[in-house]
Amino acid sequence: MADSTAQLESIQPADQTAWVKSRRTMPAWLMSLLIHALIGTLLILTVQTVSKGIGDEPARKGTIALANRSAESTEYESNDNAANATGQQTSDAQQAEQAIDSALPALDLPPSDIGNLLPRGDESIGGQQSDGLPSAGSQLEGGAPSKGGLGDEGTTTVFGAEGKGSRFVYVFDRSASMTGAPLNAAKAELLKSLDDLQKLHQFAIIFYNQEPLAFSPRGDRPQLVFADEQGKNLAKQFVRGVIASGGTKHLDALKLALKMNPDVIFFLTDADQPALLPHELEEIHRLNRGISIHAIEFGYGKYDGRRNFLVKLAEGNDGKHVYVDISGLRGSSSY
């Protein structure tokens, strides 16, 4: 400090002024650097303050809004509305899946040699169980099953009426007038027709008088079953137990068969009376979705060419009418 004072005293006044100015003048680049550093520091402090303020603000439940802007107004919808819309879409999807499920065919369990390739238990096709019998999920109510079976198209006949497809329903009269030889002949022909079916073909059997009596292995509602060995054996037991009794009502049995949506229906009766009325024939035609209905008529003596309701039923539903003279039949059972 003493040396600096001595230097100042040794410098002339004019020189002293120039020396002081040189000591106090700061280079421009250093000044610019200091200014930028100050500005940067202020920006950092500002950002930290704002971020802290945002982070400290408590979260609000359900406060995120969706704004739909139009030329006239701006509409805001909360997250709760969006969640409700998502829930409605999920409900609609579930209803569509149920509608599709209810439209699936009622199937019996496929033959054992392909069982390992198909779902088991509750996941089996058409709601079938692993015991080889249809489950309650394959009942007819809730919509007709889809058309077409799992097997290739096959051919079978009933008294000369030929049916082609993979799904067949037999609707046979068992009223009192069929007692003895007529019913025995009908049973034998039915079982013979079943023998023509392959194991992936499907079938159902309905005997009727005033009301339908359907083949139902599980004892619930009627359904199509597979024509494998088990299905045919169960069908034989059912057919052998059918007896003739009561009156005749054709319409309910035919409507039940149509609900199963087969490829072919074989309809057999000896009843010229009571006939299906014109409006009943029209109803059957309206309910039919491409099903061939073959009408087999049992009668005594030669066919006289009458165009009765059976002829009209076959003609109106892509089928064939067959007349069978049963006057020569005997009462013995051949099945």
Side-chain angles (χ1 to χ4, degrees), residues 47-105:
V47 171
Q48 291 178 347
T49 302
V50 172
S51 300
K52 181 178 180 181
I54 294 176
D56 292 341
E57 184 178 358
R60 298 179 183 178
K61 184 178 182 180
T63 55
I64 300 177
L66 301 176
N68 297 324
R69 301 183 180 275
S70 64
E72 297 179 356
S73 63
T74 302
E75 180 182 359
Y76 293 91
E77 299 178 354
S78 67
N79 273 354
D80 294 335
N81 290 338
N84 291 337
T86 302
Q88 183 63 37
Q89 292 176 355
T90 302
S91 177
D92 292 343
Q94 292 174 348
Q95 292 177 3
E97 182 177 356
Q98 293 174 358
I100 293 172
D101 289 341
S102 66
L104 293 175

Side-chain angles (χ1 to χ4, degrees), residues 5 19 22 39 81 108 117 134 199 274 288 294 308:
T5 303
W19 183 84
S22 64
I39 293 174
N81 290 338
D108 191 17
L117 302 178
K199 57 188 175 182
N288 193 342
H294 299 304
N308 59 11

Side-chain angles (χ1 to χ4, degrees), residues 83-232:
N84 291 337
T86 302
Q88 183 63 37
Q89 292 176 355
T90 302
S91 177
D92 292 343
Q94 292 174 348
Q95 292 177 3
E97 182 177 356
Q98 293 174 358
I100 293 172
D101 289 341
S102 66
L104 293 175
L107 302 178
D108 191 17
L109 185 72
S112 57
D113 58 346
I114 64 168
N116 294 330
L117 302 178
L118 298 175
R120 296 290 185 180
D122 294 337
E123 298 179 353
S124 58
I125 294 179
Q128 303 306 311
Q129 302 288 347
S130 59
D131 56 6
L133 299 178
S135 70
S138 63
Q139 296 168 356
L140 293 175
E141 292 185 355
S146 60
K147 194 73 173 287
L150 295 178
D152 294 332
E153 186 177 84
T155 302
T156 188
T157 62
V158 174
F159 290 107
E162 183 179 86
K164 293 183 178 181
S166 61
R167 297 155 65 93
F168 305 88
V169 177
Y170 302 86
V171 183
F172 281 22
D173 188 349
R174 71 176 188 99
S175 61
S177 62
M178 291 285 290
T179 301
L183 184 58
N184 289 339
K187 289 180 177 181
E189 189 71 10
L190 192 158
L191 296 180
K192 179 182 176 183
S193 177
L194 288 182
D195 287 338
D196 293 335
L197 302 183
Q198 302 299 315
K199 57 188 175 182
L200 287 182
H201 293 154
Q202 296 166 267
F203 70 93
I205 302 171
I206 302 171
F207 280 93
Y208 73 97
N209 45 24
Q210 301 97 325
E211 59 185 22
L213 173 65
F215 172 50
S216 181
R218 291 181 61 88
D220 47 20
R221 292 180 177 85
Q223 54 241 295
L224 292 162
V225 298
F226 281 91
D228 58 1
E229 183 178 357
Q230 182 183 30
K232 290 179 180 180

